[in-house]
Amino acid sequence: MLAATRPLCRRSFATNTKITNKDWATPVSDILKNAAKSAPASPKAPKRVSKQSYRLFHPDQIITERALTFDTCTRTRPPSRGPAVAPPPSVARAKDIFHQLNLDPRDFSTNPYMLSFFVTEMGKIKGRDQTMLTLKNQRLLGRTIRRAKMMGVIPNLSKY
C-alpha cells in the first residue's frame, strides 16, 4: 500500500514522461473488490494448466542445489515397459520350431548346442516372450533343460 501512496518520481523507460497515479499500480484492495464483483456466484475449481508432476522431498533427505532446479523437479520419467507378455497362441504356433517340424523337445536332452539357444548366459531358462514357443513346448523344453543340467550335459550356472 505504501508504493501506491508515495509521490511518483520515476520515469518510464519507453518515454521520458512522468508516470501518473492512474498509470501506476492500483491498490490491491481495489483489485480484490473488482475481482469479487466479477466473480461468478458458484465457485468452480480452477483448471489445471499443465499435468506436470513435481518431485517430492522427504524431511530427512539430503539434496543438492541441482535437485532444486525447475527442470529437475518437473522432469518426467519415460514410461516404463510393462511386464513381458507371452505371444498369443497363433503367433507362438507360427514361430515355434518344434511345433512346425512336429518335434518333441524332450528328444534334445543330450544336445547341448540346441539347448543353449533357450538358456541365458547365466544358465537360466528363457521365458516364452523370448523363445516364442507354445505353452506346451515351453514346459517340455524347461523340463528337458533341467534334466540336461542334472545329467551334466549343460552347466548349471553358465551357457554352454
Side-chain angles (χ1 to χ4, degrees):
M1 296 299 268
L2 184 63
T5 58
R6 75 177 156 196
L8 297 172
C9 303
R10 296 184 189 163
R11 294 189 178 265
S12 172
F13 290 107
T15 62
N16 287 334
T17 60
K18 286 188 177 182
I19 298 174
T20 62
N21 280 340
K22 291 180 183 176
D23 294 338
W24 190 245
T26 57
V28 176
S29 60
D30 293 342
I31 295 172
L32 292 176
K33 286 178 187 175
N34 292 336
K37 290 178 186 175
S38 64
S42 62
K44 294 182 179 178
K47 289 185 179 180
R48 192 170 189 179
V49 177
S50 67
K51 293 187 177 184
Q52 291 180 340
S53 59
Y54 293 98
R55 185 174 167 199
L56 299 176
F57 295 102
H58 302 288
D60 55 340
Q61 182 180 5
I62 299 172
I63 56 174
T64 61
E65 293 175 5
R66 186 173 179 270
L68 297 176
T69 62
F70 180 77
D71 293 336
T72 307
C73 290
T74 58
R75 183 183 317 142
T76 57
R77 292 182 178 169
S80 62
R81 295 180 77 180
V85 180
S90 59
V91 174
R93 281 191 295 269
K95 293 189 175 187
D96 186 356
I97 191 75
F98 298 112
H99 184 78
Q100 289 175 358
L101 300 176
N102 199 18
L103 297 173
D104 189 4
R106 292 176 286 194
D107 295 339
F108 296 95
S109 60
T110 57
N111 187 350
Y113 180 73
M114 178 69 174
L115 296 178
S116 68
F117 289 108
F118 302 103
V119 178
T120 65
E121 291 182 2
M122 292 302 297
K124 293 185 176 184
I125 302 169
K126 292 182 180 178
R128 274 189 65 210
D129 59 314
Q130 295 174 342
T131 60
M132 292 293 189
L133 298 176
T134 59
L135 186 60
K136 178 182 176 182
N137 285 336
Q138 178 72 22
R139 281 196 311 263
L140 292 174
L141 182 73
R143 189 177 301 152
T144 303
I145 291 172
R146 286 190 293 275
R147 181 179 295 158
K149 285 181 179 181
M150 284 189 278
M151 290 191 304
V153 175
I154 59 174
N156 281 330
L157 297 175
S158 65
K159 190 173 184 177
Y160 171 73

